[in-house]
Amino acid sequence: MASPAKKRKLNDPKITPTPIRNLDYFFGKKKVEIQPPSTRDATNGVSENEVSPNLTDEQLARKLQAEWNGETPNAGDPELTRDFPEPGPFDYTGAQQRRGSDSDTKLIDSAAVSSQNVEQKDKLEPPGVVNRPAIFGWKDHKTLSLQAAGSAEDTISSNIPFDEDPLTFAPATYVRELKGHWAADSGDASYALLTRCFVLVNSTQSRIKIVNTLVNMLRVIIEADPGSLLPTVWLATNSISPPYISLELGLGGSAISKALKNVCGLDNKSLKALYDKVGDAGDVAFEAKKKQSFTLRKPKPLTIKSVYQSLVKVATTQGTGSGEAKQRIVDCLLQDARGAEESRYIVRTLCQHLRIGAVKTTMLIALSRAFLLSRPPGADFPLKSAKELAKLKKENLAEVWAKPEEIAKACFAKRPNYNDLIPVILEVGVCDELLVRCGLALHIPLRPMLGSITRDLSEILTKLQDRDFSCEYKYDGQRAQVHCDEKGKVSIFSRHLELMTDKYPDLVALIPKIRGDSVSSFIMEGEVVAVDQETGDLKTFQTLANRPRKDVAIGSVKVDVCLFSFDLMFLNGESLLNRPFRERRELLRSLFTEVPNHFTWVKSVDATSQDSEIVLEFFKSATDIKCEGIMVKILDNLPNPRLLVDVEANSDSKEASEVAPKAKVEKEHEKKTRRKALLATYEPDKRLDSWLKVKKDYSTTFDTLDLIPVAGWHGQGRKSKWWSPILLAVRNEDTGSLEAVCKCISGFTDTFYKANKEFYEEDGDHVLSGKPSYIDYEGGHPDVWFEPQEVWEMAFADITISPTYTAAIGMVSDEKGLSLRFPRFLKKREDKGIDEASTSEFLAGLWRKQEEKAPSRVGKTEGDDEGEADDG
Ligand code: ATP
């Protein structure tokens, strides 16, 4: 399954607007492909139209049975099932799947391919059988055995109040009963339990409730079935592997629509109608399953482990027949899902859009709290008493939660893989030992430190008063994290932790030359930039993007690159993360060898806030040679005492007098508060003010946002052939929704409009047939809904509170969202996937920042809407 990072680009900085083929696409296609009623579906053996949704389940089942009896002379011949394990009751899905030639057809019980024994089945099948005709069998049953679809639902799980306060929730109350219930099957925690958690999380917008629900669910798993904790965490975070291990589900919308048809007895028309109505594949499954009162065999209860294993199986199945094998696993998952809710979440999981907002940070917080209150049987790490914690004041309780939270986040930032984290947490809990046992490791990428945006150079000088800092060129290439062990093995990871060693064989070959004699192992960071090999001149990001991304043979490299290194995080078996930047930089520069036009250090100049001329000159020189701007990094952990005195002595200087009195007070406050936070250490996964970035685009007066275009209206007059305005949205990280923030008509050229219209062509592959439920927009009806897939960088005049737009609703106002005044398109962010678009949280942060600067705007509500400025 693709992690957000994987979904983003898989190492490819180049825009490759891969058409995301969603259900709409396939349903849309199918519409024209529907066969005449008389034609039997080549794959299903039953024409689509014959599986009418107008029949009740029972009618449908009886109809299929009658057909089958009439048409299958060998039905009931035990010979045909002899090689296979004991089948379950008649499987009507299997009946629909029957296909292939008669002579070599073995009838395989598709029930036996339940998600739990996919492994087993694959062993039983001779090679190639994955392609074979399926499928049905029985034991003694020669007639249909109808099972009430809902009867098997797990009512114990579906009543657990996971959303209760974790300090009153008592897992023990449920553990014994659950274990008894699970013992009837495999003994493993049921998927119903996870579904219950998803349902509750999905029913609230409250972050506190979401965390509480996850904490309680995790506690039950920890106490009742710790072996299921790891798959639980993967499933709840909607992934199956870390980004640097390429495990892709690789399921198209067609596999899911096929499964819905196979399992729920829907035909294309009804499936499309349902999808148009609810707009989310998971919700389609929910509706379809709700209507289905009977299945033709008893579903085998899904467990958390089995679902996870099935997903891994889907991701790892390759080669001839893999499409069918994957389809069968998907069908089985959906068959075995008990009840409508399980079906909804299975399908959402398969679509990689779980929409429960259990993103990484929420999960880490929930894990840290769960392990403060619960431990698995046999473990002996200390716990906190929920009763005692309940007596604490809010702020004291927050302090108790804070430390383990930090530990969990720090571990995951250094080793972002639940497969590493969970087994150790189960053993030792969330404590300092976890930090040691789950630390930095070679060939496992750490999450990179990030730079905070600043709008101009003066903001840097203000923020970094009394500090020594380094200004570095901000090169326009691809960030690379290079790992090299004592044996010389090299791994290279992208900014989003994907493995890209194969992409840069020339860099790999370079490593022995740059590694000084005293260096045995290291982790280094730098920017890979396309350069002219003769002159060393920097080339554009687009040139770099033209490099192929996989299996590049060293002889075939046409775009030469240079690695401009800027940090060293690990050296000779030792982590350097806690060393100040000045020291790390010194090691980097002294222990490695420059290879002209192939490997060097970022160009830099050291300065203080009093060196504004130097900083400005440096910024200009950076932009002159096509750099994006500069990065400014704190060099030492402590303020420079000499500068501290100087600042105070110079408080009447021009610079200081330019600062408004209020800001002066704030600055004093900053001195006390922020200075402490401005460390020169390398802080994985943090965006702190100790790294600041100033881009040339920012030298104008505003911040920019990376927004997702989600819909459009037919333009007027000259623009009637194009989409204008275009609706844009931010990402709500908690809910997974896209929240509309503004309409834009400004900044687009005619060429852009034309290309945009061609890309989002009506009824084309990149538009949706209706408003998807994951888009929040209460305004008028757009003429077209785009399949969200692009990120556009947008400028704007300011942010206003809006009654129309829902972006960041609840963050600055309970009923109103935020919108942008005079939004203006700047450029497509070709290097960003939609998972990296700006979040509602970020937007709210910008709003607060704006309000701090100009409080007069507080409460100012947007005019009528988007303040559509002149078209560009
Ligand atoms: P971010 O990576 O901060 O989330 P982003 O994707 O929008 O944001 P930019 O705003 O372009 O990226 O800025 C950060 C990137 O700049 C780094 O990830 C790195 O690839 C690049 N970079 C270039 N030069 C340097 C440098 N000297 N130090 C650190 N990063 C640099």
Side-chain angles (χ1 to χ4, degrees):
M1 187 185 304
S3 69
K6 279 186 208 159
K7 274 190 259 169
R8 179 183 162 267
K9 285 286 172 275
L10 275 181
N11 300 339
D12 196 351
K14 177 164 99 172
I15 189 164
T16 40
T18 331
I20 303 163
R21 299 188 163 183
N22 71 342
L23 289 171
D24 281 300
Y25 173 80
F26 287 96
F27 296 168
K29 280 264 142 89
K30 287 276 161 16
K31 208 163 59 177
V32 288
E33 285 169 11
I34 292 177
Q35 294 164 348
S38 59
T39 321
R40 281 205 172 268
D41 181 297
T43 48
N44 287 350
V46 176
S47 87
E48 301 285 340
N49 303 29
E50 287 168 73
V51 187
S52 164
N54 300 329
L55 298 182
T56 64
D57 289 342
E58 187 171 346
Q59 283 167 335
L60 172 68
R62 295 199 188 286
K63 180 169 179 259
L64 287 168
Q65 170 76 58
E67 280 173 9
W68 183 72
N69 284 343
E71 293 174 18
T72 315
N74 291 333
D77 183 349
E79 202 42 34
L80 296 173
T81 54
R82 70 179 172 212
D83 289 350
F84 300 98
E86 179 186 291
F90 188 98
D91 177 348
Y92 102 95
T93 305
Q96 289 185 60
Q97 288 177 322
R98 185 165 50 91
R99 56 203 116 130
S101 77
D102 291 332
S103 56
D104 69 347
T105 302
K106 285 206 169 102
L107 296 179
I108 303 162
D109 175 24
S110 75
V113 199
S114 87
S115 51
Q116 270 168 315
N117 49 27
V118 164
E119 291 281 351
Q120 187 196 0
K121 175 159 196 320
D122 280 358
K123 274 184 220 132
L124 288 161
E125 282 177 357
V129 157
V130 282
N131 272 332
R132 272 168 195 254
I135 290 174
F136 46 89
W138 64 95
K139 196 179 173 189
D140 298 323
H141 307 254
K142 288 191 183 173
T143 53
L144 290 165
S145 154
L146 293 178
Q147 306 288 333
S151 65
E153 270 189 71
D154 175 349
T155 48
I156 305 173
S157 297
S158 58
N159 286 315
I160 302 182
F162 281 139
D163 51 350
E164 212 174 287
D165 182 338
L167 300 182
T168 54
F169 180 80
T173 323
Y174 312 100
V175 166
R176 186 202 287 234
E177 207 182 346
L178 282 170
K179 278 171 115 170
H181 184 65
W182 299 337
D185 297 300
S186 58
D188 296 327
S190 66
Y191 187 70
L193 192 85
L194 194 56
T195 303
R196 167 69 175 156
C197 167
F198 291 166
V199 169
L200 291 171
V201 167
N202 202 28
S203 67
T204 177
Q205 296 276 349
S206 153
R207 214 180 142 72
I208 298 174
K209 271 240 151 94
I210 292 175
V211 172
N212 285 351
T213 306
L214 283 169
V215 171
N216 293 333
M217 181 274 292
L218 292 171
R219 291 183 64 197
V220 169
I221 297 280
I222 293 166
E223 293 186 24
D225 181 20
S228 288
L229 184 64
L230 182 56
T232 299
V233 172
W234 282 123
L235 292 178
T237 49
N238 206 16
S239 50
I240 51 176
S241 70
Y244 57 92
I245 296 174
S246 188
L247 263 190
E248 302 284 329
L249 275 187
L251 288 173
S254 72
I256 292 155
S257 58
K258 252 191 207 163
L260 286 165
K261 287 186 282 182
N262 289 345
V263 177
C264 303
L266 298 175
D267 60 15
N268 283 329
K269 206 171 136 213
S270 49
L271 188 53
K272 179 158 186 348
L274 254 186
Y275 188 69
D276 287 347
K277 189 175 142 211
V278 296
D280 170 280
D283 296 346
V284 171
F286 176 87
E287 294 296 332
K289 200 81 170 196
K290 213 167 61 179
K291 287 189 186 133
Q292 187 184 11
S293 45
F294 290 94
T295 63
L296 291 158
R297 74 175 175 80
K298 193 174 175 193
K300 186 159 182 166
L302 291 172
T303 64
I304 295 170
K305 276 186 193 161
S306 70
V307 171
Y308 176 74
Q309 279 157 5
S310 297
L311 297 183
V312 173
K313 185 84 188 159
V314 168
T316 49
T317 300
Q318 285 175 343
T320 331
S322 59
E324 289 204 0
K326 285 175 193 239
Q327 184 70 53
R328 209 170 47 203
I329 300 170
V330 172
D331 287 0
C332 286
L333 280 170
L334 206 56
Q335 273 168 29
D336 288 337
R338 287 172 301 171
E341 289 293 2
E342 276 192 34
S343 308
R344 184 194 323 257
Y345 288 101
I346 284 291
V347 168
R348 283 191 181 172
T349 295
L350 292 166
C351 294
Q352 300 164 41
H353 193 56
L354 197 54
R355 299 176 49 211
I356 63 148
V359 284
K360 179 192 72 185
T361 317
T362 320
M363 177 50 77
L364 292 171
I365 294 174
L367 276 170
S368 68
R369 293 187 187 182
F371 276 95
L372 216 58
L373 300 168
S374 289
R375 63 185 163 218
D380 60 359
F381 54 82
L383 297 177
K384 296 269 182 215
S385 145
K387 249 191 194 162
E388 292 305 311
L389 293 185
K391 290 180 197 157
L392 295 179
K393 279 194 189 146
K394 212 173 154 195
E395 55 272 26
N396 296 343
L397 181 62
E399 264 170 42
V400 175
W401 296 138
K403 181 155 185 236
E405 254 172 54
E406 272 312 301
I407 293 179
K409 285 183 197 166
C411 283
F412 203 72
K414 287 184 214 159
R415 212 188 259 224
N417 187 347
Y418 293 116
N419 292 344
D420 293 338
L421 184 74
I422 299 298
V424 187
I425 282 201
L426 281 166
E427 211 184 311
V428 300
V430 185
C431 59
D432 291 339
E433 190 182 341
L434 186 68
L435 279 171
V436 178
R437 290 187 46 188
C438 226
L440 215 55
L442 280 166
H443 306 298
I444 298 179
L446 59 149
R447 302 191 74 87
M449 179 162 178
L450 306 169
S452 300
I453 298 175
T454 48
R455 69 179 61 222
D456 54 29
L457 294 173
S458 66
E459 191 179 341
I460 288 185
L461 302 180
T462 315
K463 278 190 166 160
L464 305 187
Q465 284 281 10
D466 68 45
R467 308 301 301 260
D468 287 345
F469 53 81
S470 170
C471 299
E472 298 178 347
Y473 278 2
K474 184 177 183 308
Y475 296 87
D476 197 4
Q478 186 177 21
R479 190 167 184 161
Q481 200 183 107
V482 182
H483 293 226
C484 176
D485 62 25
E486 311 79 41
K487 292 187 183 136
K489 183 188 165 197
V490 175
S491 306
I492 306 175
F493 300 96
S494 72
R495 148 87 172 79
H496 297 280
L497 314 189
E498 299 117 347
L499 188 65
M500 53 174 195
T501 320
D502 282 357
K503 184 179 172 182
Y504 292 114
D506 37 351
L507 276 187
V508 175
L510 192 69
I511 301 303
K513 295 181 203 149
I514 68 165
R515 178 158 75 151
D517 293 341
S518 55
V519 178
S520 59
S521 59
F522 66 87
I523 301 178
M524 166 199 290
E525 238 184 353
E527 189 83 352
V528 181
V529 188
V531 294
D532 183 312
Q533 218 45 209
E534 301 303 316
T535 61
D537 288 349
L538 303 180
K539 295 193 178 168
T540 60
F541 173 78
Q542 274 314 321
T543 313
L544 180 71
N546 285 333
R547 258 178 92 116
R549 71 175 194 209
K550 276 203 167 144
D551 303 326
V552 181
I554 192 153
S556 70
V557 171
K558 295 206 176 63
V559 177
D560 294 310
V561 296
C562 179
L563 174 63
F564 291 89
S565 61
F566 54 76
D567 220 315
L568 186 65
M569 296 90 95
F570 184 89
L571 182 70
N572 296 347
E574 206 190 310
S575 164
L576 302 181
L577 298 182
N578 289 331
R579 309 276 187 97
F581 180 49
R582 196 189 288 276
E583 207 179 314
R584 300 199 305 274
R585 192 180 65 169
E586 179 56 29
L587 291 168
L588 179 67
R589 294 190 176 182
S590 59
L591 299 181
F592 291 80
T593 312
E594 190 173 4
V595 179
N597 302 343
H598 289 281
F599 173 77
T600 186
W601 303 278
V602 288
K603 192 170 162 59
S604 71
V605 66
D606 290 354
T608 73
S609 50
Q610 291 167 15
D611 301 322
S612 53
E613 297 281 293
I614 297 173
V615 177
L616 183 62
E617 270 311 298
F618 188 75
F619 180 77
K620 277 193 191 143
S621 71
T623 52
D624 284 349
I625 65 152
K626 299 205 197 86
C627 281
E628 275 194 299
I630 58 170
M631 298 290 298
V632 180
K633 301 173 183 176
I634 292 275
L635 281 163
D636 312 291
N637 283 336
L638 291 173
N640 181 336
R642 184 182 56 79
L643 288 170
L644 257 176
V645 174
D646 288 354
V647 167
E648 271 146 34
N650 284 339
S651 57
D652 290 333
S653 72
K654 182 170 175 285
E655 219 169 72
S657 63
E658 277 170 2
V659 183
K662 178 175 165 278
K664 248 188 194 169
V665 176
E666 277 171 358
K667 213 171 69 186
E668 287 307 312
H669 176 70
E670 270 177 22
K671 273 191 194 162
K672 288 193 198 99
T673 52
R674 242 194 246 165
R675 191 171 295 141
K676 209 171 144 234
L678 284 191
L679 293 176
T681 44
Y682 189 103
E683 299 291 330
D685 205 23
K686 288 194 183 159
R687 197 184 287 284
L688 301 171
D689 281 352
S690 41
W691 274 31
L692 298 173
K693 52 188 181 189
V694 201
K695 294 197 202 179
K696 54 184 169 211
D697 314 345
Y698 301 163
S699 29
T700 39
T701 48
F702 37 71
D703 287 298
T704 62
L705 283 163
D706 293 327
L707 303 180
I708 304 168
V710 291
W713 283 260
H714 288 294
Q716 309 247 315
R718 192 176 67 81
K719 292 192 226 157
S720 59
K721 296 191 291 290
W722 306 315
W723 298 126
S724 177
I726 291 170
L727 185 69
L728 293 125
V730 287
R731 212 159 46 88
N732 183 321
E733 266 194 316
D734 290 339
T735 62
S737 311
L738 301 181
E739 300 173 343
V741 65
C742 66
K743 285 186 213 164
C744 180
I745 60 163
S746 179
F748 305 120
T749 59
D750 286 3
T751 321
F752 180 93
Y753 269 134
K754 193 162 169 265
N756 177 266
K757 182 69 198 280
E758 277 164 15
F759 189 70
Y760 295 112
E761 182 196 0
E762 266 165 313
D763 300 324
D765 291 353
H766 303 121
V767 303
L768 305 173
S769 56
K771 175 177 178 289
S773 58
Y774 55 82
I775 292 186
D776 287 343
Y777 177 56
E778 304 300 331
H781 297 290
D783 294 318
V784 63
W785 288 97
F786 301 163
E787 167 93 54
Q789 58 197 291
E790 288 186 280
V791 177
W792 293 357
E793 186 170 357
M794 305 289 298
F796 52 90
D798 53 20
I799 306 172
T800 53
I801 295 201
S802 162
T804 318
Y805 293 94
T806 47
I809 198 161
M811 293 181 190
V812 299
S813 150
D814 281 348
E815 308 91 44
K816 292 179 181 170
L818 293 176
S819 184
L820 308 180
R821 274 200 332 126
F822 302 114
R824 187 163 58 84
F825 171 81
L826 290 180
K827 64 170 189 277
K828 282 191 192 183
R829 283 299 305 248
E830 309 198 333
D831 55 332
K832 286 203 168 183
I834 59 171
D835 289 338
E836 292 165 277
S838 301
T839 60
S840 41
E841 186 93 45
F842 180 72
L843 175 68
L846 285 186
W847 183 84
R848 281 183 213 112
K849 212 162 108 183
Q850 168 190 290
E851 292 310 302
E852 272 168 27
K853 287 211 171 115
S856 57
R857 286 206 198 94
V858 173
K860 181 174 150 188
T861 308
E862 66 178 3
D864 351 51
D865 81 34
E866 38 291 336
E868 292 164 353
D870 286 345
D871 208 351

